[in-house]
Amino acid sequence: MELEITQHAIDAMNERLIALEWVEDAVSEPELRTPDPADPELERFYRRIPPRDDRVLRVVVNTRFAPWRIVSVFFDRRMRRMV
């Protein structure tokens, strides 16, 4: 799957030591996928990351573009029990 990644998301990945492979896996095979409540153009993709103690990665994606645009990436502490 081809993805476009914003500079904000690239910076977040670098700062938080989030591998591109994890982001791609979260988008292609999410454990949970939900609409963003604040922005109808965005969707949230969630996936546990075993190498990071099963922390839950949230990838925020604008799916209205082709290719999809990764907007933000971070570990979501609130989702640890939900996914």
Side-chain angles (χ1 to χ4, degrees):
M1 166 182 290
E2 186 178 346
L3 299 169
E4 181 178 306
I5 305 176
T6 64
Q7 188 61 50
H8 172 76
I10 291 169
D11 293 344
M13 291 168 60
N14 290 333
E15 289 171 18
R16 298 172 181 138
L17 303 176
I18 297 171
L20 176 60
E21 177 184 354
W22 300 342
V23 173
E24 291 172 340
D25 288 348
V27 174
S28 65
E29 297 178 30
E31 293 178 55
L32 178 66
R33 180 177 173 176
T34 64
D36 188 295
D39 188 334
E41 292 190 0
L42 302 178
E43 291 188 57
R44 297 174 177 182
F45 293 74
Y46 298 92
R47 185 176 175 95
R48 278 188 292 263
I49 306 299
R52 294 293 294 269
D53 298 323
D54 277 338
R55 293 171 70 191
V56 177
L57 183 65
R58 179 197 292 187
V59 181
V60 181
V61 182
N62 187 326
T63 56
R64 303 229 176 156
F65 283 93
W68 286 358
R69 184 175 295 162
I70 306 296
V71 176
S72 184
V73 177
F74 62 95
F75 288 105
D76 190 335
R77 291 184 183 118
R78 294 176 292 156
M79 293 302 290
R80 190 166 195 133
R81 292 181 195 99
M82 303 291 285
V83 175

